[in-house]
Amino acid sequence: MKPVVHVELTGKAIKTVLVLLAFISAILALVWLLISPAYAIAGGIGVILIVRGLYALFTPSTE
């Protein structure tokens, strides 16, 4: 028997995720302005990889 993970999203969880994404966007904007666009782009790619990894972690397999 395969284990089942049940994840429940509430309004508070969605609000927290949106605030976190806004915070990350603000940090990347500051990095873009103060340091270099290259570092901000690299950080953005890192954030995208983390989000895609979490999505893959919680998506059921097709097997």
Side-chain angles (χ1 to χ4, degrees):
M1 187 167 105
K2 293 182 181 181
V4 176
V5 177
H6 180 74
V7 178
E8 190 171 319
L9 287 177
T10 62
K12 186 174 182 178
I14 293 172
K15 182 180 174 183
T16 303
V17 167
L18 290 175
V19 168
L20 186 63
L21 284 174
F23 183 70
I24 291 171
S25 297
I27 289 174
L28 288 174
L30 284 174
V31 168
W32 182 287
L33 292 173
L34 299 177
I35 300 173
S36 170
Y39 289 117
I41 292 169
I45 291 171
V47 169
I48 290 170
L49 290 175
I50 289 171
V51 169
R52 287 184 61 122
L54 288 172
Y55 180 75
L57 183 64
F58 290 112
T59 302
S61 67
T62 57
E63 294 180 13

